[in-house]
């Protein structure tokens, strides 16, 4: 009556997450593969669509780079994601949390570069 049970069968690994269908959320830390730089990591700022072909990209602020440097990463190139963006959004501002946001620094650049008008006026 009792059927033999096999205990030495190892369950197959679960399927990897499809980031095109389930994209990461804002402030999630991801790793992704690139054809030129290998594997890189960073924090997702926003998901945007390409204007030409409609492919969705994650705008990622890269680790170990200057603040404000972003890279557009196709969702298909993402390797993994920590899904901890919700906690980062709700974390109090302190030295341990990293605040990320898209900004327009063109005004700073404009004021730092000398203009021909300012040179003539002696400013």
């Amino acid at each position: 009556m009792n059927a033999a049970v096999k205990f030495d069968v190892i369950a197959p690994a679960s399927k990897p997450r499809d980031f095109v269908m389930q994209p990461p959320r804002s402030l999630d830390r991801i790793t992704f593969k690139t054809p030129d730089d290998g594997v890189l990591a960073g924090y997702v700022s926003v998901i945007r669509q390409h204007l030409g072909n409609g492919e969705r990209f994650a705008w990622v602020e890269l680790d170990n780079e200057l603040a404000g440097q972003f890279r557009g990463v196709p969702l298909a190139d993402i390797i993994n994601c920590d899904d901890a963006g919700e906690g980062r959004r709700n974390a109090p501002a302190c030295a341990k949390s990293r605040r990320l946001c898209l900004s327009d620094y063109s005004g700073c650049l404009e004021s730092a570069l000398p203009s021909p008008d300012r040179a003539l006026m002696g400013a």
Side-chain angles (χ1 to χ4, degrees):
M1 289 280 210
N2 294 339
V5 179
K6 286 187 168 182
F7 289 105
D8 59 348
V9 176
I10 298 173
S14 62
K15 287 176 50 178
R17 178 173 164 186
D18 180 13
F19 289 103
V20 175
M21 297 302 291
Q22 299 173 341
R25 298 183 63 183
S26 179
L27 296 181
D28 284 348
R29 187 172 189 282
I30 64 169
T31 56
F32 54 95
K33 59 183 180 230
T34 64
D36 52 352
D37 293 329
V39 176
L40 297 175
Y43 294 89
V44 174
S45 180
V46 70
I47 305 291
R48 296 276 187 226
Q49 281 191 323
H50 188 277
L51 293 177
N53 62 10
E55 183 180 8
R56 292 172 34 171
F57 285 81
W59 284 99
V60 178
E61 186 170 359
L62 299 174
D63 283 353
N64 303 322
E65 295 292 337
L66 296 174
Q69 284 191 323
F70 292 88
R71 183 174 186 136
V73 178
L75 296 181
D77 290 345
I78 296 174
I79 299 171
N80 65 12
C81 172
D82 70 354
D83 290 323
E86 187 71 30
R88 288 187 190 97
R89 272 189 298 281
N90 297 326
C94 62
K96 293 181 180 178
S97 65
R98 182 176 177 187
R99 189 156 179 92
L100 304 168
C101 60
L102 285 171
S103 297
D104 180 12
Y105 294 105
S106 59
C108 297
L109 180 64
E110 197 174 275
S111 64
L113 293 175
S115 69
D117 296 335
R118 271 192 244 156
L120 293 175
M121 294 170 37

